[in-house]
Amino acid sequence: IELVLAAGATIVWWFAKPGSPLSEPALIVTVLAGGFGLLANANPLLPFDGYFALSDWLGIPNLRQRGFAYWGWWLRRHVLRLDTPEPAATPDEQRILLRYGSLSAVYITVAIGFTLYIIGAWSWRTFGGLGLLASAIGSVVFLRSTLSSWGKALRDVVTKSGAGLARRLRGRRARGVWT
């Protein structure tokens, strides 16, 4: 639909007299619907045509889901030090999944963060503190499954760290370090 709209706007722009009331809007629609539409569609970090082309070229089905799963496992294992089972993947797939998952997660995080910032700023300007509160609640509702998943992982880290600290303290008391 975007390309059909861009094609129609390009035809209007081509035949319209420069500086006429039709020329400028037609050019804007051509650039927005055509250029940005193609760029967004070719982006392999979003599940559009570019993603499917990359997935087919690499020969890895469900690249996005598997990439997110592998990257999440890597963070839990190496950053949070949780003992979680590694998702099944060949060594070549592991490298690809880790890179794709991390790039895609950073891209999505930045895009969502920027969007939430714009919405929050608009809500604040338009409705004040109540608008900002409403947009914050909406953001939490929108991201609840992701926040819940990472909240559980952080809870596991705190539990594991607390148990390890308690063991170390008991060991020091037994050796007479605290007396």
Side-chain angles (χ1 to χ4, degrees):
I1 296 298
E2 288 176 344
L3 290 179
V4 170
L5 184 63
T10 302
I11 292 170
V12 169
W13 174 73
W14 181 268
F15 287 108
K17 182 180 177 182
S20 71
L22 285 177
S23 176
E24 294 298 318
L27 180 60
I28 291 170
V29 170
T30 299
V31 170
L32 290 179
F36 293 137
L38 283 173
L39 284 176
N41 206 22
N43 184 351
L45 300 175
L46 296 173
F48 298 126
D49 290 341
Y51 160 75
F52 291 110
L54 178 64
S55 181
D56 287 345
W57 182 64
L58 294 172
I60 301 176
N62 301 319
L63 177 63
R64 185 178 178 80
Q65 294 83 1
R66 291 181 66 200
F68 279 145
Y70 197 83
W71 186 67
W73 166 82
W74 188 89
L75 282 177
R76 285 178 177 92
R77 178 70 174 249
H78 297 284
V79 175
L80 300 178
R81 304 279 188 211
L82 295 175
D83 190 25
T84 57
E86 183 176 0
T90 67
D92 287 339
E93 286 179 340
Q94 289 174 354
R95 272 194 328 277
I96 292 168
L97 293 174
L98 184 59
R99 288 177 184 155
Y100 181 84
S102 61
L103 284 172
S104 188
V106 167
Y107 180 83
I108 293 298
T109 301
V110 168
I112 289 174
F114 181 72
T115 302
L116 293 178
Y117 171 76
I118 296 296
I119 291 170
W122 176 82
S123 299
W124 176 260
R125 279 192 316 272
T126 307
F127 301 109
L130 190 58
L132 185 61
L133 178 64
S135 66
I137 290 170
S139 300
V140 169
V141 169
F142 175 70
L143 298 170
R144 70 182 172 272
S145 65
T146 302
L147 294 173
S148 172
S149 170
W150 283 101
K152 289 175 187 173
L154 291 176
R155 186 184 66 225
D156 291 346
V157 167
V158 169
T159 302
K160 179 183 171 189
S161 297
L165 180 61
R167 278 194 306 275
R168 286 193 298 265
L169 290 176
R170 279 194 303 271
R172 288 183 179 178
R173 278 191 212 125
R175 291 189 310 263
V177 173
W178 296 103
T179 57

